[in-house]
Amino acid sequence: MDVAVAAAEDRRQHVHLPIQGMTCATCAGRVERALNRLPGVEASVNLAGETADVRYDAAELGPDRLAEAIEDAGYAVPHDRRELAIGGMTCATCVGRVEKALRRVPGVLQAEVNLATERAVVEGIGLRPTALIGAVQDAGYDAGLLTGDAERERNLEAAEARRVRRDLIRVAAAAALTAPLLLPMVGIGLPGWLALAFASPVQLVIGARFYAAAWRALRAGTGNMDLLVALGTSAAYFYSLWLVARGAGGHTYFEAAAVVITLVLFGRWLEARARRSTGSAIRALMSLRPEKARVEREGAEIEVPVAAVSVGDVVVVRPGERLPTDGLVLTGASQVDESLLTGESLPVEKQPGDGVVGGSINGSGLLRVETTAVGERAMLARIIALVQGAQAKKAPVQRLVDRVAAVFVPIVLACALIAFLSWYLLAGSFVGGLIAAVAVLVIACPCSLGLATPTALMVGAGAAARAGILIRDAEALERAHRLDTVVLDKTGTVTEGRPEVTEIVPHGVAEAELLVLAAAAQTGSEHPLARAVLARACAAEWNRKPA
């Protein structure tokens, strides 16, 4: 009996569920009774915090059943959303394995993994980041929680840059060792022992990553592209090693194994570089957020990190500075450049009571702004989340590709076996069968399916973001080819983004003198129209100078 009780205690899970719609103690009591009626559940509902503290038997039910009971009682349970950085994926089969591992975590309702961005988006109820990360690690991959803050993004960017550099060094080393193996193709013979010396570091050291990834796939009971590369190149390498060890002579295939590993590594490096360059759109948006804010506290102005600013705080924005937060102007008047949001090049006049957006640039006036939104609720943060979501979410065509790629590896292995048996049994050629099997394994690469599609979508969304076009999701990008009409609601969308003097109409004064007077009046002003007048005056003065 004690053993049974201990086992039941081991199965018990603890979760805090947010609840929407409660207005009084009666509501809290109703939710509490609805939860406690479930088998193995002990629940306590906090009306003030709008949460339910629940302990339940994981063998009996999950968080989704708890949420269903709350919804049946007439209340709502908002879904959690977590983003994870996933490391170690190489093909669409890896994507499927990570998604399956995440979906088995209690409370997960939906999980989508993007191979190109190496990110997972998980939605569910009562999600625990430690459980999500543990599930991914148990599947044989690395995982970390993405918080969305600038420091975290910078760390990820630095880690990605280091990885791209390491991959380039591996590719260069593999290419240097592989090049001599190609000499027999131009009529220069190479002894077997020397070919073995060049090929072994490529196969066993530089290519060790393929063996490690293939082993993780086998432990999980699946196959991936690394398994295909490991099997194909190993067959060619070890068969050639056997020929050299016997001293039997004959043609070896060291160059085939080395070339395949080198080319696959080169492709991986190109993919990583494309991911890093595409992420510049997100980094450019994040760079618009100031890291510090000047806040009025206890009668003094102090400088604090933007993350420490709260709703209701009064921030002071000096001329030329970026606004650190969204808010309402309390005192002061200025012009604010909001082109990051509207696309309009001309600044917008701001008076007390007007709203301002964090990341926009203050003009010539001093503003005191009451903060109305910080963190994820700020307008710029929502724009960044929109772009990130567009890059992370799967398009319908990508879901189809993932389903195809999930069964691709077993089919390729079967085809390779059939090719080998056909040559060996029908033609009586072991070597011919081995070569045919290796060809099938190394040529049939599912990454062209599983990676090309998400990379194309990611690059498209990133290029659009750099041009100031925000795409809501991947499905919208996929359907964009059906557009036959585009409606633009503002001139700033199609202009060069800066005003320019195109015509001067003098009255009672020479054109040159009028331009000089206008430029003198605008000297020292940072207004876009003033800069346009000064630019025209400078151009006219330059043209008057003798050659």
Side-chain angles (χ1 to χ4, degrees), residues 18-34:
I19 302 174
Q20 293 178 341
M22 296 189 301
T23 58
C24 62
T26 304
C27 300
R30 185 182 305 162
V31 173
E32 196 169 288
R33 287 192 298 272

Side-chain angles (χ1 to χ4, degrees), residues 35-94:
L35 289 171
N36 286 325
R37 279 197 295 265
L38 297 175
V41 172
E42 296 178 7
S44 174
V45 177
N46 186 324
L47 176 61
E50 294 186 312
T51 60
D53 186 274
V54 186
R55 296 183 182 275
Y56 63 96
D57 188 341
E60 296 285 343
L61 43 78
D64 53 342
R65 182 67 185 90
L66 300 175
E68 184 180 340
I70 295 172
E71 291 168 355
D72 290 343
Y75 304 91
V77 179
H79 291 178
D80 293 332
R81 187 176 186 273
R82 296 286 187 270
E83 289 192 29
L84 303 176
I86 310 295
M89 297 188 299
T90 58
C91 64
T93 306
C94 301

Side-chain angles (χ1 to χ4, degrees), residues 165-366:
R165 286 195 295 269
R166 287 196 301 267
D167 288 348
L168 180 58
I169 293 172
R170 292 191 186 99
V171 170
L177 291 168
T178 300
L181 297 174
L182 303 179
L183 292 177
M185 295 184 179
V186 294
I188 302 176
L190 202 66
W193 62 268
L194 186 56
L196 173 64
F198 281 119
S200 294
V202 178
Q203 182 74 37
L204 304 177
V205 180
I206 300 175
R209 59 187 297 178
F210 296 110
Y211 289 109
W215 172 243
R216 288 196 298 267
L218 289 175
R219 281 196 310 170
T222 62
N224 59 8
M225 178 207 166
D226 296 290
L227 181 60
L228 298 181
V229 173
L231 287 175
T233 58
S234 295
Y237 173 82
F238 287 107
Y239 172 72
S240 302
L241 176 61
W242 179 68
L243 290 178
V244 172
R246 287 182 59 201
H251 180 69
T252 61
Y253 299 94
F254 288 122
E255 81 285 351
V259 166
V260 167
I261 289 176
T262 301
L263 291 180
V264 172
L265 289 176
F266 181 61
R268 297 274 177 87
W269 174 74
L270 289 177
E271 294 157 6
R273 193 180 68 165
R275 281 198 303 269
R276 184 166 174 259
S277 62
T278 304
S280 61
I282 302 296
R283 295 189 292 273
L285 287 173
M286 287 185 169
S287 67
L288 298 177
R289 298 187 294 197
E291 296 184 358
K292 300 288 185 179
R294 199 172 291 101
V295 183
E296 291 184 356
R297 288 182 181 171
E298 298 179 357
E301 292 183 13
I302 61 172
E303 197 172 78
V304 300
V306 171
V309 179
S310 304
V311 174
D313 282 346
V314 176
V315 297
V316 178
V317 187
R318 294 174 179 172
E321 293 182 340
R322 287 192 181 273
L323 279 84
T325 61
D326 296 358
L328 295 174
V329 177
L330 294 180
T331 60
S334 184
Q335 304 86 31
V336 175
D337 180 0
E338 296 181 341
S339 57
L340 83 159
L341 183 66
T342 64
E344 292 287 358
S345 59
L346 292 179
V348 181
E349 294 285 344
K350 296 295 181 181
Q351 304 289 339
D354 292 338
V356 291
V357 178
S360 54
I361 304 174
N362 184 25
S364 56
L366 179 71

